[in-house]
Amino acid sequence: MLKRNRGRQSYREKLEASQAANNFYADMAGKPRLTSTLLAQLPPKRHRVKRPVDGKPAAPYERDVLVQIIKALRHDPRVARVERNQSGVFQDGNRYIRVGVKGKLDLTVYLKTGRFAEIEVKRDAKHKPEPHQLERIATIKRAGGIAGWAWSAESALAILP
């Protein structure tokens, strides 16, 4: 399975895929499976978790908080639709291409009552939105929409009426 390596397989993943293919072909031919000596020689897989030096638990990544909030919103009976907003710039040759709308918050939520909401997601309560994001939140609220920032599923659900 490919994970956050920009589409490239690690050496371990290549060996595991090769071993799985060899096992499949051996089973189909009715022959005994071969064991990979290279895979057995690899050290056990390390799971890296950044731990702070002060001993307190590490704050979750924003992407993990975002996934939890999207799941909670999609299961809430008040919500009709949840959309994830992407924005940024990438380079294609000599051209720079902008994707999405600058300043738009992370989530767009449509309620079953017909109201509109945008939510900015942060990894914890200590991280505040940027000034342009706070301005967007204020603009949406002045126009009669619902907006805010959330750091957990509970804080996101508390924004909705």
Side-chain angles (χ1 to χ4, degrees):
M1 175 180 275
L2 298 177
K3 296 202 181 198
R4 295 189 186 95
N5 270 346
R6 298 183 186 221
R8 296 184 297 266
Q9 287 185 324
S10 68
Y11 182 64
R12 175 184 302 277
E13 289 169 335
K14 288 178 185 176
L15 285 177
E16 288 172 347
S18 175
Q19 181 68 38
N22 287 339
N23 290 343
F24 173 77
Y25 292 127
D27 291 344
M28 294 304 291
K31 304 228 176 192
R33 291 182 171 191
L34 300 173
T35 56
S36 172
T37 57
L38 291 175
L39 198 56
Q41 292 172 357
L42 286 178
K45 193 170 184 178
R46 291 176 26 191
H47 296 284
R48 291 185 170 196
V49 177
K50 289 185 179 179
R51 302 270 184 225
V53 291
D54 59 3
K56 296 178 183 173
Y61 289 117
E62 185 173 313
R63 66 176 176 254
D64 300 329
V65 176
L66 184 67
V67 167
Q68 292 172 355
I69 290 175
I70 289 173
K71 284 181 182 177
L73 288 172
R74 286 188 175 153
H75 286 91
D76 191 278
R78 300 171 287 180
V79 176
R81 183 181 174 102
V82 179
E83 294 177 356
R84 167 77 167 98
N85 300 319
Q86 300 282 356
S87 66
V89 176
F90 67 92
Q91 187 174 0
D92 181 23
N94 293 331
R95 301 179 336 161
Y96 289 92
I97 301 170
R98 174 164 289 286
V99 178
V101 178
K102 187 175 183 177
K104 195 159 185 188
L105 304 182
D106 290 328
L107 297 174
T108 301
V109 181
Y110 300 99
L111 300 177
K112 290 182 179 176
T113 60
R115 292 190 70 190
F116 164 85
E118 278 193 23
I119 299 174
E120 176 62 26
V121 177
K122 295 297 178 186
R123 57 189 294 189
D124 57 23
K126 292 183 282 187
H127 292 86
K128 306 284 187 223
E130 299 292 323
H132 70 277
Q133 294 170 332
L134 290 171
E135 184 179 325
R136 172 98 177 171
I137 290 170
T139 303
I140 292 169
K141 285 182 176 181
R142 278 194 305 269
I146 303 160
W149 61 281
W151 55 93
S152 66
E154 294 81 21
S155 62
L157 293 174
I159 293 171
L160 303 179

